[in-house]
Amino acid sequence: MGSVEEYQPLLLGLDSHSRIPDLSSVAIEDFLEQRPVAARWWPRLVAWESRLLWLLSGSSIIVSIFNYMLSFVTLMFTGHLGALELAGASIASVGIQGLAYGIMLGMASAVQTVCGQAYGARKLSAMGIICQRAIVLHVGAAFLLTFLYWFSGPALKAIGQSESIAEQGEIFARGLIPQLYAFAISCPAQRFLQAQNIVNPLAYMSVGVFLVHILLTYVVVYVLNYGLIGAALMLSFSWWLLVVLNGLYIVLSPSCKETWTGLSMQAFRGIWPYFKLTVASAIMLCLEIWYSQGLVLISGLLPNPTISLDSISICMNYWNFDMNFMLGLSAAASVRVSNELGAGHPKVTKFSVIVVNGTSILISIVFSAIILIFRVGLSKLFTSDAEVISAVSDLTPLLAISVFLNGIQPILSGVAIGSGWQALVAYVNLTTYYIIGLPIGCVLGFKTSLGVAGVWWGMIIGVGLQTLTLIILTARTNWSTEVEKAVARLKRSATEEATRVIVDNI
């Protein structure tokens, strides 16, 4: 290991931003091994790490946010149709669409994992087969979920929603049935492209479809007066437009010529092992996605459900916007941690964890301040009902707390995933969210005068406990030991057949 003086000529390049990309993780790891590191080097090291993080997360954040914004904008338009229409659309969006999207997104996370390993193993032609196999399973799941969409009215009544809200929710949900099948194709296709580090084209497509969606939804809802069903059908149309663009890129782009070799009957072989993997992935992700959605459903059971649903749904839309932003950083954290552990760089790994958490906390402070400053204006984007606006304003302090916690929790989850702690995090989520947070929210919401605020406090307690657990887990981590574990896993994988590396050794 060289001395500090030996590495100073290299690190002096940090004085020039153009030299930052030239620095390798090996050089940074060696430098961080020197103790103590002078204070003047830390801003330059942070700049080096931040650049890598934003290169990884920038386009992923855009894709995540603008895909989410399709539903966000649709609910904004329906909110101006009336409080009852907003409540119906919100309950359908959360209870029906959210349930389906959680399943589809969870299943699709297996595509990213398996295709990512296939891409790393240079089994490029296998990636197209994996994507097709995933689409087959997703379409099967969509067919089963269609019955829930069609009979969503009775389903919503069965869980205690009022008849008027359930009727509006059924209208909206039936208009989203085409979107369900778009999910079945788009989710695997996007993960297929992301596994190849093709993210910029996805970002351009998402932004373009979002702009078209705003224009067409306005025309259909306000000019042609198709109301709630028109808003739902336009949301379905926009998702199918996204599917067509993704498909054209996969089929026509030279970037996919080695990974997509056309349709193949091989997609129907080996379905069962892959099915088991997708189920496990769906369960992991759904534990987090359904938690906040479940609290919205509970709010529909409170006295004056229309106001309760409208207020918490508006707040949840902003919370989900922030969540989608942070998920991009979370993905970057996961990649950085896994890459550096695999490369045998414990110091850089720990430094990366610190930088990404610091970055996300600063962003969350800004977002929280915006919510508190513009608490009335943000609610007026969704509704003109004075009672709803007042209820949203009362909830914004809780929303600000949730947004701040959101600057830590998803990032730590990304670190945990990059370190291979998925099973442990799943148990943590189950305990803190469903065994502790959800019951507390129900007690505070129904047995005290807090109402919808009590339900939200239950969510905050659950997320806070999960965050605290992950902080303790991360702080106590011996990154040198994690490097040894990563090396051992790589050695085991290297001795197995390529097919087992791709499918069985996940």
Side-chain angles (χ1 to χ4, degrees), residues 272-293:
W272 179 245
Y274 188 79
F275 172 75
K276 292 190 291 184
L277 176 62
T278 57
V279 169
S281 300
I283 290 173
M284 283 180 56
L285 193 57
C286 286
L287 282 175
E288 288 205 21
I289 292 177
W290 290 347
Y291 180 55
S292 59
Q293 294 170 343

Side-chain angles (χ1 to χ4, degrees), residues 236-505:
S236 294
F237 173 81
S238 295
W239 270 95
W240 270 105
L241 182 57
L242 203 57
V243 168
V244 170
L245 292 175
N246 291 168
L248 288 175
Y249 185 89
I250 290 172
V251 173
L252 301 177
S253 173
S255 302
C256 299
K257 65 180 180 180
E258 293 183 88
T259 55
W260 181 266
T261 55
L263 298 175
S264 172
M265 292 300 295
Q266 292 183 41
F268 294 93
R269 300 172 188 167
I271 283 280
W272 179 245
Y274 188 79
F275 172 75
K276 292 190 291 184
L277 176 62
T278 57
V279 169
S281 300
I283 290 173
M284 283 180 56
L285 193 57
C286 286
L287 282 175
E288 288 205 21
I289 292 177
W290 290 347
Y291 180 55
S292 59
Q293 294 170 343
L295 294 177
V296 176
L297 292 176
I298 291 171
S299 300
L301 307 178
L302 293 168
N304 197 359
T306 301
I307 300 300
S308 297
L309 266 176
D310 286 351
S311 58
I312 199 169
S313 297
I314 289 171
C315 289
M316 279 295 176
N317 271 285
Y318 287 113
W319 184 78
N320 286 330
F321 178 90
D322 176 70
M323 173 63 80
N324 278 275
F325 186 96
M326 290 302 171
L327 283 176
L329 280 178
S330 175
S334 179
V335 171
R336 288 290 298 131
V337 168
S338 59
N339 285 350
E340 297 300 343
L341 285 177
H345 300 149
K347 297 291 186 182
V348 175
T349 302
K350 183 177 180 179
F351 181 63
S352 178
V353 170
I354 294 171
V355 171
V356 71
N357 275 285
T359 300
S360 64
I361 289 172
L362 288 175
I363 293 171
S364 292
I365 291 173
V366 173
F367 283 175
S368 297
I370 291 173
I371 287 169
L372 292 174
I373 294 170
F374 300 103
R375 58 201 301 175
V376 175
L378 292 174
S379 59
K380 286 184 177 179
L381 290 175
F382 282 87
T383 182
S384 54
D385 189 299
E387 195 173 357
V388 175
I389 291 172
S390 177
V392 172
S393 296
D394 292 339
L395 287 177
T396 47
L398 299 182
L399 176 59
I401 295 173
S402 296
V403 166
F404 177 76
L405 289 175
N406 214 32
I408 308 172
Q409 181 266 335
I411 309 304
L412 292 176
S413 293
V415 171
I417 291 170
S419 303
W421 306 335
Q422 292 95 323
L424 179 59
V425 173
Y427 284 119
V428 171
N429 290 347
L430 180 63
T431 302
T432 57
Y433 288 169
Y434 295 93
I435 297 179
I436 299 176
L438 195 59
I440 290 177
C442 290
V443 171
L444 294 177
F446 291 95
K447 300 299 182 181
T448 72
S449 60
L450 290 174
V452 68
V455 174
W456 199 310
W457 271 116
M459 185 189 76
I460 289 175
I461 291 170
V463 174
L465 288 174
Q466 192 244 26
T467 302
L468 180 61
T469 304
L470 291 181
I471 288 174
I472 294 172
L473 181 65
T474 305
R476 297 183 62 182
T477 298
N478 185 321
W479 293 107
S480 296
T481 302
E482 293 300 320
V483 165
E484 293 172 5
K485 291 179 182 178
V487 171
R489 283 195 295 268
L490 289 173
K491 287 182 178 178
R492 286 197 302 269
S493 297
T495 62
E496 298 178 357
E497 298 179 50
T499 54
R500 288 183 60 85
V501 172
I502 297 171
V503 178
D504 298 328
N505 191 43

Side-chain angles (χ1 to χ4, degrees), residues 63-72 74 97 101 105 176 178-187 190-191 206 209-210 213 232-246:
V63 172
S64 182
I65 285 180
F66 279 91
N67 285 351
Y68 168 71
M69 287 289 287
L70 295 176
S71 294
F72 185 89
T74 298
Q97 181 195 32
Y101 190 61
L105 203 60
L176 294 180
Q179 182 205 41
L180 178 59
Y181 290 88
F183 280 163
I185 301 173
S186 178
C187 289
Q190 288 191 359
R191 298 306 178 277
S206 297
V209 169
F210 171 71
H213 177 69
L233 288 173
M234 283 315 306
L235 182 56
S236 294
F237 173 81
S238 295
W239 270 95
W240 270 105
L241 182 57
L242 203 57
V243 168
V244 170
L245 292 175
N246 291 168

Side-chain angles (χ1 to χ4, degrees), residues 42-65:
W42 289 114
R44 306 169 195 183
L45 292 170
V46 168
W48 176 83
E49 177 62 35
S50 296
R51 177 183 178 275
L52 293 178
L53 285 171
W54 285 107
L55 283 175
L56 285 168
S57 63
S59 294
S60 296
I61 289 172
I62 291 173
V63 172
S64 182
I65 285 180

